[in-house]
Amino acid sequence: MENPARQDFPSSVLEFRLPDLGEGLADAELVSWAVAVGDVVELNQPIADVETAKAVVSLPSPFAGRVVELLARPGDTVAVGAPLIRVRAAGADDAASDTGHTSVLVGYGPEAEATSRRRPVGPPSHSVSPPGEADAEPRPGNAAATPAARKLARELGLDLWFIAGSGPGGAVTVEDVRGAVPVSQPHPAAPATVPGADSEAVRPSVREERTPISGIRKRTAAAMSNSARTIPQAAAFVTVDCTASMELLDHLRSTKSFAGLTLTPLALVAKAALAALADFPGMNVCWDEAAGEIVTKHYVNLGIAVATERGLLVPNLKEAQTLSLRDLSREIAWLAETARAGGATTAELRGGTFTITNIGVFGVDTGVPLVNPGESAILCLGSIRKQPWVVRDEIAIRWVTTLGVGFDHRMIDGEQAARFLATTAGFLEDPLTLLGRA
């Protein structure tokens, strides 16, 4: 039997529904459209960017033809299987296809489609075009832009289609968006004040700001809430004299093997943690509730927590236990750069087994990070700074840091966590023993 929700448009109009992107998720957030109603699209032409599982994915068109309807707005959460766009097939009779059909409509999935609760598509009424371009035609093709540029453009009410991009492949950058703001752009008028009243009391927009919970923040919140609710978490800490490690890093940076690489303490800490995991495989496990089993992983997909403008991402290095210090240094730098640029793939964001977070880069000594769901432990690296330290009963100035490990107490006992942490610290105190295991 034909779906009644699809009888309001002719058979020549093809409907593209949000596909299952292979991540086991029920929905995705529409970031932006690369096409508009009336545009002619080719097969496999990028038509929209959607965000899901902390990655932005470009959707190609499965049809060739002319866009009839856009069925979601940027910022909308669209369920898998819900309609996104309708395209009149190439060569179809335009007059016949338009019968009984309104083209500029937007809906919210099958239920909204059946009840015809729709809104017109178009830029917000407060959008501003760059000077001299108010009547310009949109640029052809995909309005590519970095995630930060998209966010800033939304905040300023600017249309990316009218901004020339200077980034790779013509992508719009934050600098491009800032350069498109008219110098004479008017500021919002201040609300009228009540005589004798505190002016701040009648200006709630100054005192409060509301940000929609969406995208990465929404998914991070769900994951961390699940972590805190379902995992009995504990933590242990150790303060480490890592002077020898800092001296080794200085030496390696001057060698040919590490020329051109950004060798950071994080890479050496990662190498130390991987070596310690080989001695304590019980730290690299997961809890299988359905099977009633603890699953020990004899491989390490090492998650690296990365702070980005879009929120916290944790891409992971597959089979990290096989990497040398040089390879770890290169891969960590590449993974972090890719994540910050919004290019981390869903494969890189899934399947982690053990995570490292480096809060020391923010000048913080230590912290208690939550264990990522599906893992059993997370290692926290604090700031590395010179401090007074007792060396052979004398006070000396040494490079010192604090390591912390958060762990799932269902699978990991305090003794095991402490031994793992002490072993990791020992490798940093004497890194030559660590390199001997590479």
Side-chain angles (χ1 to χ4, degrees), residues 381-429:
L381 171 62
S383 62
I384 302 175
R385 62 183 67 179
K386 289 184 176 180
Q387 297 181 25
W389 195 259
V390 177
V391 180
R392 290 184 288 274
D393 294 332
E394 294 185 358
I395 300 296
I397 302 300
R398 309 287 286 181
W399 287 102
V400 177
T401 191
T402 298
L403 299 177
V405 62
F407 57 95
D408 186 334
H409 219 324
R410 294 176 300 179
M411 298 174 279
I412 301 172
D413 295 332
E415 178 186 5
Q416 188 177 22
R419 289 184 181 276
F420 163 80
L421 198 58
T423 300
T424 303
F427 285 134
L428 296 179
E429 290 172 346

Side-chain angles (χ1 to χ4, degrees), residues 34-49:
V35 296
V37 172
D39 285 356
V40 174
V41 295
E42 303 294 334
L43 184 65
N44 293 326
Q45 174 183 330
I47 57 173
D49 286 344

Side-chain angles (χ1 to χ4, degrees), residues 176-228:
D176 298 329
V177 175
R178 288 173 178 162
V181 178
V183 175
S184 60
Q185 182 172 348
H187 295 284
T193 60
V194 178
D198 181 0
S199 60
E200 290 296 310
V202 294
R203 297 178 63 192
S205 61
V206 174
R207 294 170 60 82
E208 296 180 354
E209 179 180 353
R210 291 178 176 266
T211 303
I213 302 172
S214 61
I216 290 176
R217 177 56 54 200
K218 180 178 180 180
R219 301 187 187 284
T220 299
M224 292 300 95
S225 296
N226 182 53
S227 174

Side-chain angles (χ1 to χ4, degrees), residues 271 274 300 318-324 327:
K271 186 65 177 175
L274 289 166
V300 183
K318 307 301 189 209
E319 303 288 344
Q321 79 283 356
T322 66
L323 301 177
S324 65
D327 292 337

Side-chain angles (χ1 to χ4, degrees), residues 343-370:
T345 66
T346 54
E348 290 162 346
L349 292 165
R350 299 179 63 205
T353 67
F354 184 91
T355 294
I356 297 180
T357 180
N358 181 11
I359 63 174
V361 294
F362 306 111
V364 177
D365 291 334
T366 189
V368 187
L370 294 179

